[in-house]
């Protein structure tokens, strides 16, 4: 196809004649002068079409434009401070590339169910484009953060033979003659092995949980980044988390202003996100919650409501550490100061977004870990390789997992995490 320009490049080309391809958002006309607003994914552009300045065929084509028709417009660019991106195009020609009859998503209000049925088309809306761009920035920031600090990316398997978190939320599939394979709930056990090889590592990929919950915080397929660091204890682990979360937020504030404005996100709460994050032990958290009128009791896991109530007491994310062993995964290190608890932490985001990170120091004692595996009724034979890490030069190590969709939902200020991924998977959603 002949040369054309992306809308994002236009501000530098004022005064020139260019061609732009994109999709029609709206049109209006008053007699012999008409306007079309188009988008190409990189921005929004208004083109002015005057009957006297364009061939008859172009004027006729304008009359056939409908929402989401794909078109090419050619014309001179002029500066216009009121226009999006600061430029407007005075058309000298316009042609239809692909017609669009009866686009199902119109500017009127649609119900959420309808929009999700049309997710493949809904992605084109201004809000969804803004969310996708924030998500991209979050992911790029994650990669840059670890790369700049000398971490090595290790890709962990998605088809796995051992249970990473809880037996209750596994997707299983038949795996030839080897019995069941499980879709990874986490890459953690594998990055622990890699940490002994490379010192500082992370994995980053899709993870799967057969969650029957219908909350606004749960997907069955979500993206998680999991660093694992040799010689970090639980305290070092929390420091890494607060630096990491603050870095991601600062990047989005710096580079995604336009998108956050499009989403009408009040950025004041995000601007407060800086280390150190307040830290409360689980035991203190229970006391605080009780004082605030909650029915919370020592020994129970914090639920969504408790997380929200607790996080409300602080102006930035809060670290809750040393949970009861009984509500956490088998691999967490027993707390030497109080064996009822483990050396772990959750990082709770403010504004009701809840847990965005779960992390811990890992049990590095062979016998204690084996006892935990047995106590949880996990198949011992599947963990031989994992126990080996405690047999050949065991080492203090810690790591955590940050959920991408919860983080994106928080940054964007959207109520439900299913809008934070292009094609969400939940209990009720497998299409499109
Ligand atoms: O707390 P979780 O279960 O921790 C782990 O998986 C550890 N293996 C991580 C590690 O130490 N390497 O999950 C970590 C994070 C949660 O804080 C949350 O942000 C996200 O993953 N997450 C989910 N996000 C969306 N839908 C779900 N069903 C999620 N479950 C967890
Ligand atoms: Mg967790």
């Amino acid at each position: 196809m002949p040369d054309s320009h992306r809308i994002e490049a236009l501000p530098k080309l004022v005064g020139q004649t260019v061609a732009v391809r994109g999709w029609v958002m709206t049109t209006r006309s008053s007699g012999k002068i008409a306007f079309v607003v188009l988008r190409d994914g990189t921005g929004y552009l208004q083109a002015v079409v005057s009957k006297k300045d364009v061939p008859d065929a172009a004027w006729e084509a304008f009359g056939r434009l409908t929402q989401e028709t794909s078109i090419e417009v050619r014309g001179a660019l002029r500066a216009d401070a009121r226009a999006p991106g600061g430029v407007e195009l005075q058309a000298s020609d316009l042609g239809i590339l692909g017609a669009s009859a009866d686009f199902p998503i119109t500017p009127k209000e649609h119900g959420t169910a309808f929009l999700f049925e049309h997710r493949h088309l809904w992605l084109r809306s201004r809000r969804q484009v803004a969310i996708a761009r924030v998500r991209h920035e979050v992911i790029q920031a994650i990669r840059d953060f670890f790369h700049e600090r000398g971490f090595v990316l290790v890709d962990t398997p998605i088809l796995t033979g051992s249970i990473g978190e809880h037996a209750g939320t596994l997707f299983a599939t038949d795996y030839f003659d080897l019995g069941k394979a499980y879709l990874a709930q986490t890459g953690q056990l594998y990055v622990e092995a890699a940490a002994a090889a490379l010192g500082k590592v992370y994995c980053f990929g899709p993870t799967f949980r057969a969650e029957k919950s219908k909350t606004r915080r749960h997907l069955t397929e979500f993206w998680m980044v999991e660093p694992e660091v040799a010689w970090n204890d639980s305290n070092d682990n929390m420091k890494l988390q607060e630096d990491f979360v603050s870095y991601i937020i600062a990047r989005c504030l710096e580079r995604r202003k336009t998108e956050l404005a499009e989403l009408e996100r009040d950025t004041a709460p995000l601007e407060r996100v800086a280390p150190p994050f307040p830290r409360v032990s689980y035991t203190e958290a229970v006391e605080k919650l009780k004082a605030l009128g909650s029915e919370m009791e020592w020994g129970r896991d914090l639920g969504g409501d408790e997380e929200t109530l607790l996080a409300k007491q602080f102006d930035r994310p809060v670290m809750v550490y040393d949970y009861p062993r009984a509500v956490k995964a088998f691999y967490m290190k027993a707390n030497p100061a109080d064996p009822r608890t483990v050396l772990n932490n959750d990082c709770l985001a403010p504004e009701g977004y809840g847990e965005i990170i779960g992390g811990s120091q890992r049990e590095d004692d062979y016998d204690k870990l084996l006892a935990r595996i047995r106590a949880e009724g996990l198949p011992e034979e599947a963990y031989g390789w994992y126990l080996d890490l405690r047999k050949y030069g065991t080492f203090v190590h810690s790591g955590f997992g940050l959920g991408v969709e919860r983080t994106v939902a928080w940054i964007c200020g959207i109520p439900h995490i299913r809008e934070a991924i292009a094609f969400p998977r939940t209990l009720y959603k497998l299409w499109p």
Side-chain angles (χ1 to χ4, degrees), residues 236-254:
D236 302 324
N237 197 34
M238 286 192 266
K239 278 198 204 132
L240 183 63
Q241 290 167 44
E242 63 195 12
D243 286 347
F244 179 52
V245 170
S246 305
Y247 180 97
I248 296 171
I249 300 290
R251 258 285 278 274
C252 290
L253 288 172
E254 182 195 321

Side-chain angles (χ1 to χ4, degrees), residues 158-174:
I158 286 172
L159 290 166
T160 66
S162 29
I163 302 165
E165 287 291 319
H166 308 285
T169 60
L170 288 171
F171 283 112
T173 182
D174 291 324

Side-chain angles (χ1 to χ4, degrees), residues 165-166 209 301 307 328 332 345-346 355 357-359 406:
E165 287 291 319
H166 308 285
R209 305 220 179 151
D301 201 359
E307 287 179 358
K328 289 292 173 185
M332 296 184 181
N345 81 283
D346 280 357
E355 180 199 331
I357 289 180
R406 289 191 192 175

Side-chain angles (χ1 to χ4, degrees), residues 14 24 50 63 75-76 86 89 109 181 185 193 217 232 239 244 268 333 371:
V14 167
V24 171
S50 302
L89 187 136
E109 285 281 306
Q185 297 171 312
R217 295 174 182 176
N232 265 13
K239 278 198 204 132
F244 179 52
K333 185 168 179 62

Side-chain angles (χ1 to χ4, degrees), residues 164-166 185-188 191 207 209 211 213 217-228 328 331 346-347 355-360 362 399-407 417:
E165 287 291 319
H166 308 285
Q185 297 171 312
T186 168
Q188 180 197 316
V191 278
T207 44
R209 305 220 179 151
E211 304 267 11
S213 50
R217 295 174 182 176
H218 289 92
L219 297 170
T220 53
E221 178 177 314
F222 61 97
W223 283 66
M224 179 158 56
V225 54
E226 297 180 89
E228 191 72 31
K328 289 292 173 185
Y331 51 72
D346 280 357
C347 175
E355 180 199 331
I356 52 166
I357 289 180
S360 62
R362 319 307 189 184
F400 62 87
L402 170 125
V404 167
E405 289 75 17
R406 289 191 192 175
T407 306
I417 70 167

